[in-house]
Amino acid sequence: DVVMTQSPLSLPVILGQPASISCRSSQSLVYSDGTTHLSWFHQRPGQSPRRLIYKVSKRDSGVPDRFSGSGSGTDFTLKISRVEAEDVGVYYCMQNTHWPHTFGQGTKLEIK
Amino acid sequence: EVQLVESGGSLVHPGGSLRLSCEASGFTFSNYWMSWVRQAPGKGLEWVAHISQSGRDKFYVESVKGRFTISRDNARNSLYLQMNSLRVEDTAVYHCAGWGDGDAPWGQGTLVTVSS
């Protein structure tokens, strides 16, 4: 199975400051058609996960543009340009290039 | 409003069976690949099973192969997970999720507890 490794696992951030989460996969996530299936999810306490980003850098409907995704091959990054209070929770990267689809272990973002 | 509502979770003994259901509304269910994803208490996310729009293609994580069966009824906008030979380690909140470009609805989940 493809192992997804996130860092850091805990991310204290001051309101209004940027934040960045890294995700590395144990093998390339480039699919046979050239697309890369790497997504980012946000889970607030007590809620179900919400997808923010798919195919590395595409924002889902309704996702604020302060969220951006980048990367290629095996190295990916989620960036929040200015953290807001509603951004607290756990962030997961996920690959759906290879079966079984796998998630990272999660990065807990908290307000410092 | 896009909505996925799961049901069917409960307390069951090891070796028992359960059938989970997920009812979709507010989007064209038949256009979406659908999945079951679980989250053990206090833990991360684990993909369990995945089914194509028509229901022809199905994929399972190794730990549930031969025990779980994913299915769908597009006429009823519903997704199912038949779980047999349940184990203690299957204890989790089970979410149904849809996969589209620009949209990936998730349900709130239904709790399955396997315990003697």
Side-chain angles (χ1 to χ4, degrees):
Chain A
D1 297 359
V2 177
V3 177
M4 306 296 288
T5 303
Q6 292 180 227
S7 64
L9 299 185
S10 178
L11 184 56
V13 183
I14 295 172
L15 283 174
Q17 293 300 300
S20 179
I21 301 170
S22 171
C23 177
R24 288 189 172 178
S25 57
S26 60
Q27 57 184 277
S28 173
L29 300 186
V30 180
Y31 191 58
S32 55
D33 64 0
T35 59
T36 300
H37 296 274
L38 185 284
S39 300
W40 290 94
F41 289 81
H42 175 215
Q43 185 174 30
R44 295 191 179 104
Q47 295 188 15
S48 58
R50 175 197 183 191
R51 195 177 70 179
L52 304 173
I53 302 285
Y54 65 102
K55 292 181 183 177
V56 180
S57 59
K58 298 180 183 294
R59 271 191 302 275
D60 274 289
S61 176
V63 174
D65 61 7
R66 65 177 182 276
F67 291 94
S68 63
S70 63
S72 64
T74 60
D75 288 333
F76 305 93
T77 301
L78 175 71
K79 291 184 179 177
I80 309 173
S81 59
R82 295 173 306 279
V83 170
E84 298 187 3
E86 65 182 17
D87 299 338
V88 298
V90 181
Y91 290 81
Y92 296 93
C93 61
M94 184 209 78
Q95 66 83 20
N96 53 321
T97 294
H98 306 282
W99 187 260
H101 301 162
T102 46
F103 291 89
Q105 65 270 62
T107 294
K108 187 173 184 179
L109 185 150
E110 61 180 21
I111 303 301
K112 194 187 296 184
Chain B
E1 179 191 6
V2 173
Q3 203 168 13
L4 290 172
V5 179
E6 302 94 336
S7 61
S10 70
L11 172 64
V12 62
H13 292 310
S17 298
L18 277 178
R19 188 190 195 214
L20 306 184
S21 299
C22 171
E23 187 170 340
S25 59
F27 66 103
T28 306
F29 178 75
S30 58
N31 287 351
Y32 285 65
W33 278 78
M34 296 296 297
S35 301
W36 288 97
V37 179
R38 67 186 177 185
Q39 188 167 30
K43 301 295 185 181
L45 299 165
E46 181 185 34
W47 211 298
V48 174
H50 198 49
I51 188 168
S52 62
Q53 293 97 326
S54 67
R56 184 188 70 179
D57 299 309
K58 303 176 183 181
F59 301 88
Y60 301 92
V61 69
E62 192 65 34
S63 60
V64 309
K65 277 182 184 176
R67 300 189 299 123
F68 290 11
T69 302
I70 189 171
S71 62
R72 66 190 297 163
D73 184 339
N74 287 340
R76 294 178 183 271
N77 290 333
S78 292
L79 177 73
Y80 306 102
L81 186 68
Q82 178 65 44
M83 304 188 294
N84 298 330
S85 303
L86 281 160
R87 305 169 180 169
V88 170
E89 55 265 32
D90 294 319
T91 294
V93 173
Y94 285 72
H95 298 274
C96 67
W99 306 96
D101 281 352
D103 184 22
W106 278 60
Q108 283 299 310
T110 186
L111 177 62
V112 173
T113 304
V114 186
S115 174
S116 53

